[in-house]
Short mmCIF file of all heavy atoms in Angstrom, two decimals:
data_model
loop_
_atom_site.label_atom_id
_atom_site.label_comp_id
_atom_site.label_asym_id
_atom_site.label_seq_id
_atom_site.Cartn_x
_atom_site.Cartn_y
_atom_site.Cartn_z
N MET A 1 47.42 -95.12 100.40
CA MET A 1 46.80 -94.83 99.11
C MET A 1 45.28 -94.97 99.20
O MET A 1 44.55 -94.17 98.67
CB MET A 1 47.34 -95.79 98.03
CG MET A 1 48.80 -95.55 97.70
SD MET A 1 49.02 -93.93 96.92
CE MET A 1 48.16 -94.22 95.37
N ALA A 6 39.91 -92.50 99.28
CA ALA A 6 38.61 -92.39 99.92
C ALA A 6 38.33 -90.94 100.27
O ALA A 6 37.22 -90.45 100.10
CB ALA A 6 38.55 -93.26 101.17
N THR A 15 31.15 -82.16 97.13
CA THR A 15 31.06 -81.06 96.18
C THR A 15 29.89 -81.25 95.24
O THR A 15 29.14 -80.32 94.94
CB THR A 15 32.36 -80.94 95.37
OG1 THR A 15 33.45 -80.75 96.27
CG2 THR A 15 32.28 -79.78 94.39
N SER A 21 22.39 -79.40 95.30
CA SER A 21 21.50 -78.66 96.18
C SER A 21 21.36 -77.22 95.73
O SER A 21 20.28 -76.65 95.74
CB SER A 21 22.03 -78.73 97.62
OG SER A 21 21.21 -77.99 98.49
N ILE A 61 1.84 -71.57 103.06
CA ILE A 61 0.45 -71.85 102.70
C ILE A 61 0.40 -72.10 101.21
O ILE A 61 0.75 -71.23 100.41
CB ILE A 61 -0.47 -70.66 103.05
CG1 ILE A 61 -0.38 -70.30 104.53
CG2 ILE A 61 -1.91 -70.98 102.67
CD1 ILE A 61 -1.05 -68.98 104.87
N ALA A 95 3.13 -83.28 99.28
CA ALA A 95 2.39 -84.03 100.30
C ALA A 95 1.13 -83.29 100.71
O ALA A 95 0.06 -83.89 100.89
CB ALA A 95 3.29 -84.26 101.51
N GLN A 96 1.22 -81.97 100.84
CA GLN A 96 0.05 -81.18 101.21
C GLN A 96 -0.98 -81.15 100.09
O GLN A 96 -2.20 -81.27 100.34
CB GLN A 96 0.47 -79.75 101.57
CG GLN A 96 1.38 -79.64 102.77
CD GLN A 96 0.71 -80.11 104.05
OE1 GLN A 96 -0.49 -79.93 104.25
NE2 GLN A 96 1.49 -80.72 104.94
N ARG A 99 -2.89 -84.26 99.92
CA ARG A 99 -3.79 -84.41 101.07
C ARG A 99 -5.11 -83.67 100.87
O ARG A 99 -6.15 -84.12 101.36
CB ARG A 99 -3.09 -83.89 102.32
CG ARG A 99 -3.85 -84.10 103.61
CD ARG A 99 -3.00 -83.69 104.81
NE ARG A 99 -2.70 -82.28 104.82
CZ ARG A 99 -3.52 -81.34 105.31
NH1 ARG A 99 -4.69 -81.68 105.83
NH2 ARG A 99 -3.16 -80.07 105.31
N PRO A 102 -7.43 -83.79 94.65
CA PRO A 102 -6.97 -84.80 93.69
C PRO A 102 -6.09 -84.16 92.61
O PRO A 102 -6.21 -82.97 92.31
CB PRO A 102 -8.28 -85.33 93.08
CG PRO A 102 -9.36 -84.92 94.02
CD PRO A 102 -8.90 -83.64 94.66
N ALA A 114 -1.73 -73.49 91.34
CA ALA A 114 -1.29 -73.50 92.74
C ALA A 114 -0.44 -72.26 93.00
O ALA A 114 0.44 -71.92 92.20
CB ALA A 114 -0.49 -74.75 93.05
N ASP A 123 13.22 -58.76 105.17
CA ASP A 123 12.49 -57.86 104.29
C ASP A 123 12.01 -58.62 103.06
O ASP A 123 12.12 -59.84 102.98
CB ASP A 123 13.36 -56.66 103.90
CG ASP A 123 14.68 -57.08 103.26
OD1 ASP A 123 14.69 -58.10 102.55
OD2 ASP A 123 15.69 -56.38 103.47
N ASP A 139 8.07 -77.62 90.68
CA ASP A 139 8.18 -79.07 90.50
C ASP A 139 6.96 -79.79 91.07
O ASP A 139 6.46 -80.75 90.47
CB ASP A 139 9.46 -79.58 91.17
CG ASP A 139 10.12 -80.69 90.38
OD1 ASP A 139 10.17 -80.58 89.14
OD2 ASP A 139 10.56 -81.68 91.00
N THR A 142 4.08 -79.55 88.62
CA THR A 142 4.25 -80.47 87.49
C THR A 142 3.84 -81.88 87.88
O THR A 142 3.13 -82.56 87.12
CB THR A 142 5.71 -80.47 87.03
OG1 THR A 142 6.07 -79.15 86.59
CG2 THR A 142 5.92 -81.45 85.88
N THR A 153 5.65 -63.64 99.31
CA THR A 153 6.24 -63.61 100.64
C THR A 153 5.43 -62.67 101.52
O THR A 153 4.90 -61.65 101.06
CB THR A 153 7.70 -63.14 100.61
OG1 THR A 153 7.78 -61.84 100.01
CG2 THR A 153 8.56 -64.11 99.84
N ARG A 166 4.67 -56.53 92.51
CA ARG A 166 3.43 -56.07 93.14
C ARG A 166 3.42 -56.47 94.61
O ARG A 166 3.86 -57.56 94.96
CB ARG A 166 2.20 -56.67 92.43
CG ARG A 166 2.02 -56.16 91.03
CD ARG A 166 0.67 -56.56 90.47
NE ARG A 166 0.59 -57.99 90.21
CZ ARG A 166 -0.54 -58.60 89.81
NH1 ARG A 166 -1.66 -57.91 89.68
NH2 ARG A 166 -0.53 -59.90 89.57
N GLY A 167 2.91 -55.58 95.44
CA GLY A 167 2.87 -55.87 96.86
C GLY A 167 2.07 -54.83 97.61
O GLY A 167 1.49 -53.91 97.01
N ALA A 189 -23.92 -79.48 93.74
CA ALA A 189 -25.27 -79.84 94.17
C ALA A 189 -25.44 -81.35 94.06
O ALA A 189 -24.79 -82.01 93.25
CB ALA A 189 -26.29 -79.14 93.28
N VAL A 196 -34.37 -94.16 90.54
CA VAL A 196 -34.79 -93.94 91.92
C VAL A 196 -35.42 -92.57 92.07
O VAL A 196 -36.48 -92.41 92.69
CB VAL A 196 -33.59 -94.10 92.88
CG1 VAL A 196 -34.01 -93.74 94.30
CG2 VAL A 196 -33.05 -95.52 92.82
N VAL A 199 -38.94 -92.54 90.60
CA VAL A 199 -39.91 -93.19 91.48
C VAL A 199 -40.32 -92.24 92.59
O VAL A 199 -41.51 -92.09 92.92
CB VAL A 199 -39.34 -94.50 92.06
CG1 VAL A 199 -40.25 -95.03 93.17
CG2 VAL A 199 -39.17 -95.54 90.96
N ALA A 203 -44.03 -90.60 93.33
CA ALA A 203 -44.67 -90.83 94.62
C ALA A 203 -45.08 -89.50 95.25
O ALA A 203 -46.16 -89.37 95.83
CB ALA A 203 -43.75 -91.57 95.56
#
Side-chain angles (χ1 to χ4, degrees):
M1 292 294 293
T15 302
S21 178
I61 303 169
Q96 297 297 325
R99 186 174 65 84
D123 56 34
D139 217 42
T142 299
T153 58
R166 292 191 290 175
V196 174
V199 169

